[in-house]
Amino acid sequence: MTDSPSAPAFEVSELVKSYRGITAVNKISFSVARGEIIGFLGPNGAGKSTTMRILTGYIPATSGTVRVCGIPVATRAEEVKRIVGYMPENNPLPEDMRVSEYLYYRGRLKEIPRSRLGPRLDEVLERCDLTRVRHRILGQLSKGNRQRVGIAEAILAEPPVIIMDEPTIGLDPHQILIVRDLIASLRGRMTVIISSHILPEIEMTCDRVLIINRGQLVAQGTPSELRREFLGRTRYLVEYAGDSALLAGSLRLIDPTLQIESPPGEGTGEASRAESPDGFRKVFLTTRQESDQGESIIRILAAQPGIRLRSFTHSHASLEDVFLAATKRSWDIVDSPLPR
Ligand SMILES: Nc1ncnc2c1ncn2[C@@H]1O[C@H](COP(=O)(O)OP(=O)(O)OP(=O)(O)O)[C@@H](O)[C@H]1O
Ligand SMILES: [Mg+2]
């Protein structure tokens, strides 16, 4: 095996995949450094699974190049499969095998020597919280356990890189937490790419995010870089009682770009701003200025006799906002049929 330790985990250049009449992946290029945990995001049909299948050597690309740890996947797919732990979408499992029997069989296929496989299996079952169900039939497992069998299989041979296609789909919050911890425990030892629709999940686990839409890479960066690029704004949540017109007037003096909005679900416009029985209401203040205005805003509001301030918080935009902005921007740009 010629896994070159100095090569990036993934180097993807101008990757294209066309199915008959459909360009599922359209000139995607990116690189992933060793040890990074990458979140792969995109709406349904964006091309995430297709890209992952190509990266793991399971389907060929139409054009473009992919190197995994320096190995070109187009000509050496079998070698790539050996160094990538892959949990495919929907994680198909043979229904009639038992958990440990199945993982043992997969371990042998991955050429883990018999002498090492037993202890490694115990370790992985423990790590994936599967020891209690190791003798159960796969077809009778709960969804959470099935997902964790998929993850166990992906990490079994201790590959340098792991690709998991929606590892937390359909899981309850408790199971999501277990899977999140499991992925976090791989940090520093393996390079991981996971796709997910659960954005807070990605934000908590991943170092960097790639967003694809209609087969094209529309954004990449850390969540905070993406917030800056796509939202270009800072938001504060203010809880106050008093004259709204006075609040608006005094704030616009310090920042003319400041917008005042009601939080979602609390109506819009001056009249409908939700008010609690004691006369306090919450509003978002949004500024496009780069410098932090928080301190000046608090000072101005605290000095207004007609306004009582109860709380003031910096409100972080969610990755959902970035995702919607990034995919909307690309829909706006690509409004003609996709090139073939
Ligand atoms: N085997 C195939 N034959 C024809 N078209 C396909 C095939 N696999 C995927 N596609 C098409 O390619 C596009 C990308 O699909 P892909 O499954 O990669 O998206 P995805 O981002 O994984 O979506 P999801 O979030 O729903 O899993 C879609 O239009 C899909 O219908
Ligand atoms: Mg998919």
Side-chain angles (χ1 to χ4, degrees):
M1 202 189 301
T2 49
D3 162 13
S4 136
S6 59
F10 292 94
E11 292 165 283
V12 177
S13 174
E14 302 271 300
L15 186 65
V16 174
K17 178 69 185 180
S18 303
Y19 296 110
R20 252 166 300 144
I22 297 170
T23 307
V25 174
N26 192 5
K27 291 200 179 149
I28 284 186
S29 303
F30 63 88
S31 163
V32 176
R34 298 279 182 132
E36 273 193 300
I37 300 187
I38 298 286
F40 205 43
L41 305 181
N44 291 127
K48 302 179 295 295
S49 298
T50 302
T51 306
M52 289 180 146
R53 284 185 204 117
I54 298 170
L55 263 48
T56 49
Y58 282 84
I59 59 169
T62 303
S63 63
T65 58
V66 175
R67 286 175 179 272
V68 184
C69 300
I71 304 173
V73 74
T75 51
R76 291 156 64 188
E78 289 311 313
E79 281 171 71
V80 167
K81 283 184 194 168
R82 249 176 267 149
I83 60 165
V84 177
Y86 175 39
M87 176 180 168
E89 190 167 40
N90 304 325
N91 186 32
L93 295 171
E95 300 290 299
D96 52 355
M97 281 179 104
R98 292 180 194 276
V99 172
S100 50
E101 182 189 8
Y102 171 69
L103 289 173
Y104 190 88
Y105 154 77
R106 295 299 300 173
R108 289 299 297 146
L109 282 185
K110 290 169 196 278
E111 296 171 8
I112 304 176
R114 267 179 225 280
S115 59
R116 260 193 53 223
L117 188 50
R120 176 67 186 151
L121 204 59
D122 291 343
E123 194 182 315
V124 168
L125 287 169
E126 194 57 42
R127 188 107 166 266
C128 297
D129 199 17
L130 289 167
T131 307
R132 280 173 297 120
V133 296
R134 63 184 299 163
H135 301 302
R136 296 270 299 275
I137 303 275
L138 289 167
Q140 296 170 1
L141 289 184
S142 71
K143 178 130 183 112
N145 281 330
R146 288 175 70 91
Q147 296 283 88
R148 278 184 281 121
V149 170
I151 298 174
E153 181 185 340
I155 65 174
L156 187 59
E158 298 179 84
V161 301
I162 308 264
I163 294 189
M164 291 192 262
D165 199 350
E166 311 226 19
T168 53
I169 197 162
L171 300 188
D172 67 41
H174 179 67
Q175 295 280 348
I176 288 177
L177 218 65
I178 294 176
V179 171
R180 185 207 301 162
D181 288 348
L182 196 66
I183 294 168
S185 75
L186 306 176
R187 187 180 296 283
R189 286 187 287 160
M190 294 173 180
T191 307
V192 184
I193 301 185
I194 49 174
S195 67
S196 176
H197 285 113
I198 306 176
L199 304 189
E201 211 33 58
I202 289 279
E203 174 129 39
M204 273 178 255
T205 325
C206 299
D207 305 314
R208 209 151 57 85
V209 175
L210 304 176
I211 302 180
I212 67 168
N213 193 26
R214 302 180 94 199
Q216 292 181 314
L217 190 68
V218 294
Q220 58 176 316
T222 63
S224 56
E225 283 167 354
L226 294 178
R227 273 196 198 94
R228 220 171 306 135
E229 178 182 351
F230 285 92
L231 304 174
R233 63 170 197 221
T234 311
R235 252 182 172 187
Y236 309 98
L237 182 62
V238 180
E239 194 180 2
Y240 74 100
D243 184 347
S244 301
L246 182 65
L247 174 104
S250 39
L251 290 178
R252 292 217 172 92
L253 283 180
I254 51 165
D255 179 359
T257 71
L258 208 70
Q259 300 274 330
I260 304 176
E261 299 162 277
S262 303
E266 301 197 2
T268 51
E270 296 286 327
S272 59
R273 262 169 218 153
E275 201 171 288
S276 65
D278 55 2
F280 279 85
R281 69 196 75 175
K282 288 181 181 168
V283 287
F284 278 125
L285 306 179
T286 308
T287 173
R288 299 209 164 262
Q289 293 200 0
E290 286 205 355
S291 57
D292 195 329
Q293 305 287 306
E295 203 183 333
S296 334
I297 295 174
I298 293 174
R299 207 175 319 115
I300 295 270
L301 294 184
Q304 284 290 350
I307 290 176
R308 287 153 62 210
L309 190 60
R310 183 147 77 183
S311 66
F312 186 90
T313 40
H314 198 133
S315 154
H316 287 286
S318 67
L319 201 54
E320 257 98 356
D321 295 331
V322 173
F323 178 85
L324 292 172
T327 48
K328 178 175 183 312
R329 192 198 273 181
S330 68
W331 282 108
D332 290 347
I333 295 167
V334 189
D335 59 358
S336 53
L338 285 172
R340 301 260 160 89

Short mmCIF file of all heavy atoms in Angstrom, two decimals, residues 207-228:
data_model
loop_
_atom_site.label_atom_id
_atom_site.label_comp_id
_atom_site.label_asym_id
_atom_site.label_seq_id
_atom_site.Cartn_x
_atom_site.Cartn_y
_atom_site.Cartn_z
N ASP A 207 -14.86 20.52 12.06
CA ASP A 207 -13.94 21.64 12.00
C ASP A 207 -14.31 22.56 10.85
O ASP A 207 -14.16 23.77 10.92
CB ASP A 207 -12.50 21.15 11.73
CG ASP A 207 -12.08 20.13 12.76
OD1 ASP A 207 -12.31 20.38 13.95
OD2 ASP A 207 -11.53 19.07 12.38
N ARG A 208 -14.76 21.94 9.77
CA ARG A 208 -15.01 22.70 8.55
C ARG A 208 -16.23 22.12 7.85
O ARG A 208 -16.54 20.94 8.01
CB ARG A 208 -13.78 22.57 7.63
CG ARG A 208 -13.52 23.74 6.73
CD ARG A 208 -12.03 23.87 6.44
NE ARG A 208 -11.46 22.67 5.85
CZ ARG A 208 -11.49 22.39 4.54
NH1 ARG A 208 -12.04 23.22 3.68
NH2 ARG A 208 -10.96 21.27 4.09
N VAL A 209 -16.88 22.97 7.06
CA VAL A 209 -18.12 22.56 6.42
C VAL A 209 -17.99 22.78 4.92
O VAL A 209 -17.44 23.79 4.48
CB VAL A 209 -19.28 23.43 6.97
CG1 VAL A 209 -20.57 23.13 6.25
CG2 VAL A 209 -19.45 23.24 8.47
N LEU A 210 -18.47 21.82 4.13
CA LEU A 210 -18.59 22.01 2.68
C LEU A 210 -20.08 21.99 2.36
O LEU A 210 -20.79 21.10 2.82
CB LEU A 210 -17.93 20.86 1.91
CG LEU A 210 -16.46 20.54 2.19
CD1 LEU A 210 -16.03 19.31 1.39
CD2 LEU A 210 -15.58 21.71 1.81
N ILE A 211 -20.55 22.98 1.63
CA ILE A 211 -21.97 22.99 1.27
C ILE A 211 -22.10 22.82 -0.24
O ILE A 211 -21.47 23.56 -1.00
CB ILE A 211 -22.66 24.31 1.70
CG1 ILE A 211 -22.51 24.52 3.22
CG2 ILE A 211 -24.14 24.30 1.31
CD1 ILE A 211 -23.15 25.79 3.76
N ILE A 212 -22.86 21.80 -0.65
CA ILE A 212 -23.07 21.65 -2.09
C ILE A 212 -24.55 21.81 -2.41
O ILE A 212 -25.42 21.53 -1.59
CB ILE A 212 -22.51 20.33 -2.68
CG1 ILE A 212 -23.25 19.11 -2.18
CG2 ILE A 212 -21.04 20.18 -2.41
CD1 ILE A 212 -22.87 17.87 -3.00
N ASN A 213 -24.77 22.29 -3.61
CA ASN A 213 -26.14 22.47 -4.08
C ASN A 213 -26.14 22.21 -5.58
O ASN A 213 -25.27 22.69 -6.29
CB ASN A 213 -26.61 23.91 -3.81
CG ASN A 213 -28.11 24.06 -4.00
OD1 ASN A 213 -28.86 23.10 -3.87
ND2 ASN A 213 -28.55 25.27 -4.30
N ARG A 214 -27.09 21.41 -6.04
CA ARG A 214 -27.20 21.06 -7.45
C ARG A 214 -25.85 20.64 -8.02
O ARG A 214 -25.44 21.08 -9.09
CB ARG A 214 -27.76 22.23 -8.26
CG ARG A 214 -29.11 22.68 -7.74
CD ARG A 214 -29.61 23.83 -8.57
NE ARG A 214 -30.47 23.37 -9.64
CZ ARG A 214 -30.75 24.09 -10.72
NH1 ARG A 214 -30.20 25.27 -10.88
NH2 ARG A 214 -31.55 23.62 -11.63
N GLY A 215 -25.13 19.83 -7.27
CA GLY A 215 -23.88 19.26 -7.78
C GLY A 215 -22.69 20.19 -7.72
O GLY A 215 -21.60 19.81 -8.13
N GLN A 216 -22.89 21.41 -7.23
CA GLN A 216 -21.75 22.34 -7.18
C GLN A 216 -21.42 22.73 -5.76
O GLN A 216 -22.31 22.85 -4.92
CB GLN A 216 -22.06 23.59 -8.00
CG GLN A 216 -22.15 23.27 -9.48
CD GLN A 216 -22.44 24.49 -10.32
OE1 GLN A 216 -23.32 25.28 -10.00
NE2 GLN A 216 -21.71 24.63 -11.40
N LEU A 217 -20.12 22.94 -5.52
CA LEU A 217 -19.68 23.38 -4.21
C LEU A 217 -20.00 24.87 -4.10
O LEU A 217 -19.48 25.67 -4.87
CB LEU A 217 -18.18 23.14 -4.08
CG LEU A 217 -17.59 23.32 -2.70
CD1 LEU A 217 -18.09 22.25 -1.74
CD2 LEU A 217 -16.07 23.24 -2.77
N VAL A 218 -20.87 25.23 -3.17
CA VAL A 218 -21.27 26.65 -3.09
C VAL A 218 -20.62 27.37 -1.92
O VAL A 218 -20.63 28.60 -1.87
CB VAL A 218 -22.81 26.82 -3.05
CG1 VAL A 218 -23.42 26.37 -4.35
CG2 VAL A 218 -23.45 26.09 -1.88
N ALA A 219 -20.06 26.64 -0.97
CA ALA A 219 -19.40 27.30 0.16
C ALA A 219 -18.52 26.31 0.89
O ALA A 219 -18.82 25.11 0.93
CB ALA A 219 -20.45 27.85 1.13
N GLN A 220 -17.43 26.80 1.44
CA GLN A 220 -16.64 25.97 2.35
C GLN A 220 -15.93 26.87 3.34
O GLN A 220 -15.59 28.01 3.05
CB GLN A 220 -15.65 25.07 1.61
CG GLN A 220 -14.65 25.77 0.72
CD GLN A 220 -13.67 24.77 0.13
OE1 GLN A 220 -13.17 23.90 0.81
NE2 GLN A 220 -13.40 24.89 -1.15
N GLY A 221 -15.74 26.36 4.53
CA GLY A 221 -15.07 27.13 5.58
C GLY A 221 -15.51 26.67 6.95
O GLY A 221 -16.32 25.74 7.07
N THR A 222 -14.98 27.32 7.99
CA THR A 222 -15.45 27.00 9.33
C THR A 222 -16.83 27.63 9.47
O THR A 222 -17.15 28.58 8.74
CB THR A 222 -14.53 27.61 10.40
OG1 THR A 222 -14.58 29.03 10.26
CG2 THR A 222 -13.09 27.15 10.23
N PRO A 223 -17.65 27.13 10.40
CA PRO A 223 -18.97 27.75 10.55
C PRO A 223 -18.89 29.26 10.73
O PRO A 223 -19.69 30.00 10.16
CB PRO A 223 -19.55 27.05 11.78
CG PRO A 223 -18.93 25.69 11.74
CD PRO A 223 -17.53 25.92 11.24
N SER A 224 -17.89 29.77 11.48
CA SER A 224 -17.87 31.23 11.69
C SER A 224 -17.43 31.96 10.42
O SER A 224 -17.94 33.05 10.12
CB SER A 224 -17.03 31.62 12.89
OG SER A 224 -15.75 31.12 12.76
N GLU A 225 -16.54 31.36 9.63
CA GLU A 225 -16.19 31.99 8.34
C GLU A 225 -17.41 32.07 7.43
O GLU A 225 -17.65 33.08 6.76
CB GLU A 225 -15.10 31.17 7.63
CG GLU A 225 -13.71 31.38 8.20
CD GLU A 225 -12.71 30.33 7.70
OE1 GLU A 225 -13.08 29.37 6.99
OE2 GLU A 225 -11.53 30.47 8.05
N LEU A 226 -18.20 31.00 7.44
CA LEU A 226 -19.38 30.99 6.57
C LEU A 226 -20.42 32.00 7.01
O LEU A 226 -21.07 32.64 6.20
CB LEU A 226 -19.99 29.58 6.53
CG LEU A 226 -19.10 28.53 5.88
CD1 LEU A 226 -19.75 27.17 5.93
CD2 LEU A 226 -18.81 28.89 4.43
N ARG A 227 -20.57 32.13 8.33
CA ARG A 227 -21.50 33.15 8.85
C ARG A 227 -21.12 34.52 8.34
O ARG A 227 -21.94 35.30 7.91
CB ARG A 227 -21.44 33.18 10.37
CG ARG A 227 -22.34 32.21 11.00
CD ARG A 227 -22.53 32.56 12.46
NE ARG A 227 -23.04 31.39 13.09
CZ ARG A 227 -22.30 30.49 13.70
NH1 ARG A 227 -21.01 30.64 13.81
NH2 ARG A 227 -22.85 29.43 14.21
N ARG A 228 -19.80 34.80 8.44
CA ARG A 228 -19.33 36.12 8.02
C ARG A 228 -19.59 36.32 6.53
O ARG A 228 -20.09 37.33 6.08
CB ARG A 228 -17.84 36.27 8.34
CG ARG A 228 -17.49 37.64 8.87
CD ARG A 228 -16.07 37.68 9.37
NE ARG A 228 -15.77 36.66 10.34
CZ ARG A 228 -14.67 35.89 10.33
NH1 ARG A 228 -13.77 36.02 9.42
NH2 ARG A 228 -14.47 34.98 11.26
#
